[in-house]
Amino acid sequence: MRFLIAAISVAAFLVSGNAAFADKRVAFVVGNAAYKNVPQLPNPAIDSKAMARVLRNVGFDVVEGSNLTRDAMTAKLLEFGKKSEGADVAVFFYAGHGIAVNGINYLLPIDADLKSEIDVKLGAAINVDITLDQTMADAKVKLVFLDACRDNPFAAKIRSAKATRSVNVQTGLAEMKSGEGTLIAFATGPGQTALDGEAGTNSPFTRALVANIAQPGVEIQQAMTKVRAQVSDETSKGQLPWGHTNLTGNVYLNPVGASAAATIDPSNGPVSAATKQGSDIELEFWRSIKDTNKVEELNAYLTSYPSGTFKSIALARIAALQDGPSNTTRNLSAGIDPATFTEEANQISEDQIGFDKGQRRDAQRRLTGLGFDVKVTGKFDDETRSVIKRWQAARGYPATGYLNKLQHKALLLEVVSTRAASSEQADDEPSRRRSSGGGGRRHYSGGGGAPTGGPGGLFGGMMGGLFGRR
């Protein structure tokens, strides 16, 4: 009899869970961080991966991308537009640089190079209004999350351009109104800038979204109230998300538990369907990342489930990854000058080391061997600075992204994985020659136009000029 009750309970749970996610749900999730013409951003690619995972866990078909050029972003938008036809719920999430010019918002691919207003209008940037209209118009419910209100380095260039007349370039994004069945949420208020957060983690806005929007039985507008409160608290009231909504009914990204009856666990008595479904989603989330070697993915789990079942395992794996591969035998503090933990580094202290190109490459290989993957270029670019900062933070050193003599010595004392040394010569010169060849580069037709033969032209033709080109 006990087995029969348990079987009926499980069957009822599976039916209710499938029914909850039976509607058509699609999402566009993109994070752009590795900008080519301005300093890179630390977290958007991490933000997009965390958001994509949360949405998949509640039944969304996710069109996902990170660090996309205009050509690649166009292709993703085309795919999303097709999938969102007839959708019950469509979600649009973007993290990265955005800009407002004369009250119109634009999102920036990583290859954007904006020197004037005309660069924006000729298609180097993506018009948000036109994009949402062309890709989501057919969806019943449209949820838009823009974590793109960062301090934009293109703004000053456009303002100072001689060819620009009476241009108004805002610091953040401009206010937008939502149409029927739509919710639009910005990381912060119109014309203001949002925080990126610490390198290697989620931004405050994305972290709050991940923690709240897919909670079982929580309506989306209630979730956004919690998001605003969390971001305000985390930033000491320095940032307050802003939004506009025109939803005509209740919307649940995780509807189980909103009105579900309790099921029966024969051994423990009544257990709500929401609790069961929440546990099931957490388990699926954990299974998807349990074998990862990326700290940011484990951090995404901890953000979503701060008191989760697998919290201790996740923390242990993060510690192991940050301390380097498990097959190394070392004591990080052995032989380390105590001043290493207090003495800050900057460009001057790094110049005093006198790095040549070979020594920079050696430092990059060592960081990669310790689990802080970075391209071995011999140049300390923005990507390398971000990785150095992550390494410093993991070791308890002042995290500036620059090295001093003490930190460099400490890095040399660490035992690195053989995977860095084994490819030390084999990959360097050949890969550099391959990457410099013409085959991997796209050729543009001039102006702000689309790549010749790329999907940008197809998308413009099929969807009525998504980017507002004349």
Side-chain angles (χ1 to χ4, degrees), residues 26-317:
V26 296
F28 173 87
V29 178
V30 165
N32 285 339
Y35 284 89
K36 298 179 179 180
N37 299 301
V38 293
Q40 297 183 4
L41 295 170
N43 299 322
I46 299 172
D47 292 336
S48 65
K49 290 182 183 299
M51 180 61 72
R53 188 175 294 110
V54 167
L55 292 173
R56 286 195 179 98
N57 285 339
V58 290
F60 278 83
D61 180 4
V62 179
V63 177
E64 181 184 0
S66 60
N67 296 325
L68 301 183
T69 62
R70 180 184 178 278
D71 183 39
M73 200 162 174
T74 301
K76 292 290 184 182
L77 286 168
L78 175 59
E79 181 184 356
F80 173 61
K82 291 179 178 178
K83 287 188 174 184
S84 67
E85 293 177 0
D88 294 286
V89 184
V91 169
F92 187 100
F93 173 87
Y94 172 81
H97 273 314
I99 194 169
V101 179
N102 290 334
I104 299 175
N105 292 321
Y106 299 86
L107 307 180
L108 304 186
I110 63 168
D111 55 350
D113 190 11
L114 309 180
K115 300 182 180 69
S116 66
E117 182 184 7
I118 195 170
D119 290 329
V120 177
K121 291 187 174 181
L122 288 180
I126 297 177
N127 185 307
V128 175
D129 290 321
I130 296 175
T131 297
L132 298 180
D133 180 65
Q134 293 292 320
T135 60
M136 301 176 73
D138 198 39
K140 297 175 184 176
V141 173
K142 297 168 273 289
L143 307 177
V144 181
F145 305 104
L146 298 177
D147 197 355
C149 310
R150 294 162 167 85
D151 190 16
N152 197 308
F154 287 113
K157 291 184 180 181
I158 296 174
R159 291 191 193 101
S160 63
K162 294 181 180 179
T164 297
R165 295 178 298 170
S166 301
V167 64
N168 175 22
V169 184
Q170 292 186 220
T171 303
L173 293 182
E175 181 177 352
M176 291 175 62
K177 299 287 186 177
S178 56
E180 183 177 351
T182 303
L183 178 147
I184 297 176
F186 291 85
T188 191
Q192 301 178 31
T193 55
L195 300 174
D196 287 307
E198 295 182 7
T201 64
N202 295 125
S203 74
F205 182 57
T206 295
R207 180 161 40 250
L209 289 175
V210 168
N212 291 284
I213 63 172
Q215 288 297 315
V218 177
E219 202 273 332
I220 189 62
Q221 295 181 77
Q222 295 175 333
M224 292 311 298
T225 298
K226 295 181 179 181
V227 167
R228 283 189 289 273
Q230 180 174 326
V231 172
S232 177
D233 181 64
E234 183 176 329
T235 62
S236 300
K237 299 184 178 181
Q239 178 179 330
L240 184 65
W242 175 91
H244 190 273
T245 180
N246 202 1
L247 297 177
T248 57
N250 292 331
V251 177
Y252 298 86
L253 295 192
N254 188 354
V256 177
S259 59
T263 57
I264 301 297
D265 182 325
S267 60
N268 297 317
V271 177
S272 70
T275 300
K276 281 181 170 289
Q277 181 66 13
S279 299
D280 187 62
I281 292 172
E282 180 192 352
L283 179 60
E284 190 62 31
F285 193 153
W286 175 252
R287 285 174 175 169
S288 71
I289 57 99
K290 67 182 181 68
D291 296 320
T292 186
N293 62 353
K294 296 181 179 180
V295 171
E296 56 265 28
E297 294 185 351
L298 292 162
N299 276 328
Y301 167 79
L302 293 173
T303 298
S304 299
Y305 303 97
S307 301
T309 306
F310 307 99
K311 177 180 179 180
S312 59
I313 301 175
L315 290 172
R317 282 187 56 76

